[in-house]
């Protein structure tokens, strides 16, 4: 079945740039979304439709797409950005379903 | 303020049933497609089910087909998930999550509830 693949972990120092990739064969045909989830909290949408940023999300969060890979970039990482990040897209190959990547734990050193 | 508030979780024995509810406020519920998403302890997010704004279109992940039923009452601004024949692997936090407005096939979820915990154990 269709899967989205993310690295399990990424580590950066404060002020550096973090990049989290998500790969999937159908990403050229379907939008990708990114969610931030801190321990014990519900997910928050940080990027929608590959690269759009919801109101209230800091400008340091950006998204991009190239072929079968989408990337979440966090510029000037802050300690408060430490969280798990999940990509999500759509699979309609057999029946409709929303698909999540396995999640990436961002550690701010 | 847009809010989604889940309730109905708890401890249930394998083979048992639970009905989750999601009460909404702050937006026109009848205009939005809604989902249930779950997260097993220490695991990632898993989409469970989708219902369109008018209830005309419903989808489920394969692992819950025939056991779970999603429904909504637009007059009460509420979403439901009837869960039958529960298994240990259904143990998770269950979130209701609103689809982005105006996006059909490729929608993401812009508002989430705080979740309700379902534990299936003897």
């Amino acid at each position: 079945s269709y899967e989205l693949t993310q690295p399990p972990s990424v580590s950066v120092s404060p002020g550096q740039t973090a990049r989290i990739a998500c790969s999937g064969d159908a990403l050229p045909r379907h939008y990708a979304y990114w969610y931030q989830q801190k321990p014990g909290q519900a997910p928050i949408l940080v990027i929608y439709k590959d690269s759009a940023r919801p109101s209230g999300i800091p400008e340091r969060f950006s998204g991009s797409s190239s072929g079968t890979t989408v990337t979440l970039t966090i510029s000037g990482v802050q300690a408060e950005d430490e969280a798990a990040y999940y990509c999500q897209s759509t699979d309609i190959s057999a029946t409709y379903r929303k698909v999540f990547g396995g999640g990436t734990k961002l550690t701010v050193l | 303020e847009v809010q989604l508030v889940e309730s109905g979780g708890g401890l249930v024995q394998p083979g048992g049933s639970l009905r989750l509810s999601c009460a909404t406020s702050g937006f026109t519920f009848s205009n939005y497609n809604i989902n249930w998403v779950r997260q097993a302890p220490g695991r990632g997010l898993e989409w469970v089910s989708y219902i369109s704004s008018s209830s005309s279109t419903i989808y489920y992940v394969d692992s819950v087909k025939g056991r779970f039923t999603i429904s909504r009452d637009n007059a009460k601004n509420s979403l439901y998930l009837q869960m039958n024949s529960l298994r240990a692997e259904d143990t998770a936090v269950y979130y209701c999550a609103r689809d982005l407005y105006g996006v059909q096939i490729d929608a993401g979820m812009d508002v989430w509830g705080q979740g309700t915990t379902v534990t299936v154990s003897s």
Side-chain angles (χ1 to χ4, degrees), chain B residues 12-18 67-68 83-88 90 94 118 120:
Chain B
V12 61
Q13 292 187 339
S17 299
L18 275 178
R67 301 188 299 122
F68 289 11
M83 304 187 297
N84 298 331
S85 302
L86 282 162
R87 306 167 180 168
D90 296 318
Y94 285 74
V118 172
V120 184

Side-chain angles (χ1 to χ4, degrees), chain A residues 30-47:
Chain A
H30 296 285
Y31 287 127
Y33 299 81
W34 289 94
Y35 304 91
Q36 176 195 69
Q37 187 181 34
K38 296 181 179 179
Q41 298 184 18
I44 295 171
L45 180 68
V46 295
I47 294 292

Side-chain angles (χ1 to χ4, degrees), chain B residues 44-85:
Chain B
L45 300 170
E46 180 185 33
W47 171 81
V48 174
S49 185
Y50 160 101
I51 186 167
S52 63
S53 58
S54 64
S55 302
S56 60
T57 302
I58 287 174
Y59 300 111
Y60 300 97
V61 68
D62 284 348
S63 59
V64 309
K65 285 179 181 176
R67 301 188 299 122
F68 289 11
T69 302
I70 191 172
S71 62
R72 64 190 293 163
D73 185 336
N74 286 345
K76 294 183 177 180
N77 297 323
S78 293
L79 173 76
Y80 307 100
L81 187 67
Q82 178 66 42
M83 304 187 297
N84 298 331
S85 302

Side-chain angles (χ1 to χ4, degrees), chain A residues 30-31 33 35 37 42 96 98, chain B residues 39 99 105-109 113:
Chain A
H30 296 285
Y31 287 127
Y33 299 81
Y35 304 91
Q37 187 181 34
Y96 176 94
K98 287 179 166 48
Chain B
Q39 187 170 35
D99 261 5
I105 295 296
D106 272 351
M109 294 161 281

